[in-house]
Amino acid sequence: MRIKHDFHLHTHLSVCAKREVTAADYVANARRLGLKKLGFSDHFWDSAIEGANKFYQPQDYEHILQLKPELEQLRCDDIQFFFGCETEYDPFHHGVAITEAVAEQLDFLLVPNSHTHMMMPKDCYEPYRKHADFMLQALYEILNSPVSKYITAIAHPFEAVACPYPNGLLIDLITDDEFRLVLDVMAEKGVAFEINVSSMQKKTHDEIEKMSQIRLFRLAKEQGCRFLFGSDSHSAGSHDAYGNASFVADLLALTEDDLAPIARG
Ligand SMILES: [Zn+2]
Ligand SMILES: [Zn+2]
């Protein structure tokens, strides 16, 4: 199945993205790649929730709202835009760093359980099992939070960001049964599983098939999770390997019904 959506795009409003990358760049890429739906997901922490670190402090709602006029100006018939954000797991309140008031303003919402480089105490890096357990617990807390009904997808599930060792090792440590239990909750709550292709950018198809993530994707499908694809682009050039999204969709034999409702059509 050809994947014609990308619901994980960072613009210049994300402080870790390239200063010059705009929504217009992604529209140009989308035309080239045949994408019909673009979801903008700049990093976000709700200022009404205490605990934002230095990275998140400037990235509040007022800040990400600056994208709206940019999207208005770009309005086009061939590509649909969705205004959302990638918010954060909030370990301090065992929930998510967004209020219902803001969540209901968005077209879609991504929440990661794997920004462990920012949200996890450093002493959890080793033994590796502690790191894996942190992500499992984070996911349960995200799914049990009062805003769970607004969550469209879990961003890059269990793919620990900026991990000092290969993050696939953490996925390998979690058993099928442990994954099944939490994936069941995702399926039941209608929270989709993001297939984030940023980790596949420089890989061949053979190498992708051998990634630890593939076992997890297959389990997610078996448990009835829906999927959402994202490039996690932080610059205009990071879209170039987006064909990997369609490769993985075929590898998993996904059909339209397996996609999150927002991504269909
Ligand atoms: Zn992320
Ligand atoms: Zn991201």
Side-chain angles (χ1 to χ4, degrees):
M1 181 179 52
R2 177 99 178 276
I3 296 302
K4 291 182 284 188
H5 67 269
D6 182 350
F7 276 88
H8 199 143
L9 296 167
H10 294 278
T11 72
H12 57 95
L13 292 171
S14 290
V15 302
C16 51
K18 282 269 188 263
R19 289 303 82 210
E20 67 278 5
V21 66
T22 62
D25 292 325
Y26 292 134
V27 169
N29 287 353
R31 292 223 165 93
R32 192 162 41 83
L33 299 166
L35 304 180
K36 299 295 176 202
K37 295 184 178 197
L38 293 183
F40 295 90
S41 59
D42 283 307
H43 291 293
F44 169 78
W45 188 295
D46 200 317
S47 53
I49 295 175
E50 273 176 48
N53 62 14
K54 280 209 166 63
F55 172 76
Y56 279 114
Q57 274 161 18
Q59 305 190 96
D60 60 7
Y61 193 45
E62 206 183 317
H63 180 78
I64 61 166
L65 265 183
Q66 296 175 79
L67 189 70
K68 286 240 174 167
E70 204 175 309
L71 294 180
E72 286 291 325
Q73 276 197 334
L74 269 175
R75 199 185 282 268
C76 46
D77 295 335
D78 53 335
I79 298 166
Q80 233 181 316
F81 297 150
F82 298 83
F83 176 74
C85 74
E86 180 179 13
T87 188
E88 187 56 275
Y89 162 57
D90 171 8
F92 314 110
H93 305 94
H94 306 285
V96 179
I98 191 168
T99 55
E100 288 202 47
V102 171
E104 63 187 15
Q105 308 292 317
L106 304 171
D107 298 328
F108 73 104
L109 178 62
L110 302 181
V111 187
N113 68 330
S114 49
H115 283 174
T116 51
H117 63 311
M118 280 195 285
M119 308 321 296
M120 184 180 76
K122 298 287 170 263
D123 65 359
C124 292
Y125 274 112
E126 283 180 40
Y128 297 170
R129 182 67 222 195
K130 253 173 132 178
H131 194 166
D133 283 338
F134 181 90
M135 291 191 285
L136 270 169
Q137 189 184 333
L139 185 48
Y140 278 114
E141 291 183 355
I142 290 165
L143 294 170
N144 288 324
S145 83
V147 294
S148 67
K149 62 176 180 284
Y150 297 99
I151 303 174
T152 311
I154 301 300
H156 41 74
F158 297 97
E159 295 186 65
V161 172
C163 188
Y165 38 81
N167 63 7
L169 294 174
L170 300 168
I171 294 175
D172 297 344
L173 281 181
I174 301 172
T175 65
D176 286 2
D177 284 346
E178 286 175 306
F179 275 137
R180 281 201 180 96
L181 278 176
V182 75
L183 291 165
D184 231 19
V185 183
M186 283 174 70
E188 188 198 313
K189 297 212 170 211
V191 173
F193 188 107
E194 185 198 60
I195 296 190
N196 188 302
V197 300
S198 66
S199 54
M200 303 169 190
Q201 241 181 0
K202 295 195 174 97
K203 291 190 159 59
T204 64
H205 287 176
D206 276 355
E207 287 167 338
I208 292 171
E209 283 187 57
K210 292 191 184 95
M211 288 173 78
S212 302
Q213 280 87 330
I214 302 296
R215 174 178 66 101
L216 174 54
F217 299 167
R218 289 192 199 282
L219 289 167
K221 190 188 174 203
E222 277 173 33
Q223 296 311 114
C225 289
R226 304 290 190 224
F227 294 92
L228 193 68
F229 284 81
S231 65
D232 214 344
S233 287
H234 284 70
S235 69
S238 23
H239 246 150
D240 293 345
Y242 202 60
N244 285 332
S246 302
F247 172 72
V248 174
D250 287 340
L251 190 63
L252 302 174
L254 297 186
T255 65
E256 189 81 358
D257 284 346
D258 294 309
L259 298 180
I262 198 171
R264 291 176 197 164

